[in-house]
Amino acid sequence: MLGAVEHSGAACRDPALPALAALPATAALPDPFVMADGQRLTRKADWACRRHEVSRQLQAYELGEKPAPVPGSVSGKLDGKTLTVTVSTGGRSISFNANVQLPSTGQAPYPAVIGIGRSFLNNAELLARGVAVIDFPNNDIADQQNGSSRNKGKFFELHPEAQGTGALVAWAWGVSRLVDALAQGAAPAIDARHLGVTGCSRNGKGALMAGALDERIALTIPQESGSGGSAAWRVSDAQKVAGQNVQTLRQIVTENVWFRSSFGEFSEAAARLPYDHHQVLALVAPRGLLVIENTAMEWLGNQSAWVSALAAREAWVALGVADGMGASQFSHPDHCRLPAEQSPEVLAFVDRFLKGTPAKTDIVRTDGKFAVDRQRWMPWSTPALK
């Protein structure tokens, strides 16, 4: 189920990408099993092209374009704990450094978890389990201090034509170039076939995009990623209307440069997006995905993230691998601290998808006591794909 290439649907037909005014408003979460031409999915073999359609829509309307790799343009060199990745194109070149922590147990080559910025999981537990931890320098690739950070970072030095692109997709591009270097053997002690990606809060949004847009990543764990991550724009709007203090599309585009500069046109029109973030989560299918959220953080769209996760999981159900996707919500006061109650769930997914050992990953639980109106949000049916 792990992809051998970054994007298996590259040869699929692109969907139409109408301007905002020509997009119909859809109150429910869009049906993930209907192709852009209206045909309903019946075969597992068609999932790659459905993923391609949603990926193109996501990049066109929300993120900005993720540049395709140029063969032979990436190299890597490990010096101690520092892996230097160099990328060249169009006569320009950039380098960035990723910190590599190897475990003292187990046997090389080791599976590894890439942390956007750094990992907020229990890294001591990961290392003790024989899993390496790699820190990815996302702010070096695309800055995210505030709205004035637009177009700053090494991604934009290498791709000056990408002005207006959001930081999240720039980070996803950078993680893919790191994976390229690892696949070439730049760090021989790392098993490039068993890589995970994680991050918390804003960096959790980046972790989701990295895993969604690169099929070589075996496991994706966005942690408390909230709006713009695991939460669905439409459901967050409904939470806001209900009087809750939730971050919506309208607000988030004014906060930072995570999204493409034109995404603000959807501030009052999230229902016109031809996709929502349940489909962004589903871009990971059938690979491993564990969504970690905190019900104490209303601002992050706690209920929205739960509804989105339930809707996304139907993609794994349709593909016959329901236990490949998990969702765990647990209330605690400290943002970006993984509580002891969720640590075993993380380790179960790590064991199964990174170490290849049996583990129970059929995890779908929340302490939020959310009433989910499936008829409102998921009025579509889930096919059993052949």
Side-chain angles (χ1 to χ4, degrees):
M1 291 188 292
L2 179 65
V5 296
E6 184 175 333
H7 177 46
S8 63
C12 297
R13 180 183 302 174
D14 286 344
L17 298 168
L20 170 62
L23 290 167
T26 305
L29 296 176
D31 189 337
F33 305 112
V34 174
M35 300 289 289
D37 64 3
Q39 295 296 311
R40 190 160 179 78
L41 291 183
T42 58
R43 305 183 307 155
K44 293 178 183 179
D46 295 327
W47 183 247
C49 284
R50 182 62 184 134
R51 287 187 70 258
H52 174 75
E53 291 181 343
V54 175
S55 175
R56 292 296 306 126
Q57 291 169 340
L58 174 67
Q59 293 177 61
Y61 295 119
E62 183 169 335
L63 299 181
E65 305 300 321
K66 181 185 180 186
V70 177
S73 65
V74 180
S75 62
K77 181 179 180 181
L78 184 65
D79 183 5
K81 294 184 177 181
T82 302
L83 174 61
T84 300
V85 178
T86 300
V87 190
S88 303
T89 188
R92 295 175 294 274
S93 182
I94 60 102
S95 295
F96 62 88
N97 296 328
N99 182 67
V100 180
Q101 299 178 69
L102 296 179
S104 58
T105 60
Q107 185 174 356
Y110 304 103
V113 170
I114 301 167
I116 304 295
R118 66 184 178 92
S119 165
F120 282 85
L121 305 178
N122 190 323
N123 296 325
E125 285 186 336
L126 293 176
L127 291 166
R129 229 171 183 82
V131 178
V133 178
I134 301 174
D135 299 334
F136 172 73
N138 57 317
N139 290 342
D140 193 29
I141 300 299
D143 199 8
Q144 56 156 348
Q145 300 306 310
N146 49 47
S148 67
S149 300
R150 178 71 69 187
N151 303 324
K152 293 182 179 180
K154 290 180 176 177
F155 172 84
F156 298 99
E157 294 173 18
L158 190 67
H159 291 286
E161 76 284 358
Q163 301 294 295
T165 295
L168 297 182
V169 81
W171 301 344
W173 169 89
V175 169
S176 290
R177 306 294 71 81
L178 172 61
V179 174
D180 289 342
L182 293 172
Q184 294 169 13
I190 300 297
D191 180 359
R193 292 285 296 168
H194 292 91
L195 299 174
V197 64
T198 189
C200 190
S201 195
R202 59 182 61 189
N203 295 349
K205 307 179 204 305
L208 173 58
M209 299 310 170
L213 299 178
D214 194 327
E215 296 171 56
R216 299 170 297 176
I217 294 173
L219 174 62
T220 302
I221 307 179
Q223 181 182 359
E224 298 187 44
S225 60
S227 296
S230 60
W233 299 121
R234 288 166 171 84
V235 187
S236 294
D237 276 350
Q239 276 193 264
K240 185 74 171 181
V241 169
Q244 297 179 42
N245 185 30
V246 173
Q247 188 172 38
T248 62
L249 194 163
R250 180 185 302 108
Q251 190 280 334
I252 203 170
V253 294
T254 69
E255 180 181 349
N256 215 305
V257 295
W258 301 314
F259 309 98
R260 69 181 307 156
S261 55
S262 60
F263 190 46
E265 68 177 348
F266 286 93
S267 291
E268 308 297 329
R272 289 185 179 271
L273 288 168
Y275 64 92
D276 211 318
H277 275 231
H278 66 303
Q279 290 162 278
V280 179
L281 293 169
L283 290 176
V284 179
R287 294 168 291 128
L289 173 68
L290 175 62
V291 177
I292 295 288
E293 288 289 339
N294 182 352
T295 47
M297 304 293 170
E298 188 175 83
W299 176 251
L300 299 180
N302 45 16
Q303 183 175 1
S304 177
W306 180 243
V307 173
S308 181
L310 293 181
R313 194 169 186 269
E314 295 305 302
W316 280 263
V317 171
L319 292 164
V321 288
D323 61 351
M325 189 273 186
S328 173
Q329 292 191 330
F330 184 78
S331 177
H332 58 96
D334 305 315
H335 183 42
C336 285
R337 177 186 63 83
L338 182 71
E341 290 82 357
Q342 289 176 309
S343 187
E345 299 167 343
V346 170
L347 294 178
F349 271 81
V350 167
D351 284 350
R352 177 178 173 184
F353 290 98
L354 298 188
K355 299 192 67 180
T357 57
K360 177 178 172 53
T361 55
D362 191 14
I363 298 164
V364 186
R365 64 118 177 180
T366 182
D367 62 1
K369 299 180 181 179
F370 300 124
V372 178
D373 187 343
R374 288 181 175 267
Q375 186 56 40
R376 176 183 182 182
W377 296 117
M378 296 167 263
W380 29 265
S381 60
T382 300
L385 301 179
K386 305 298 183 182

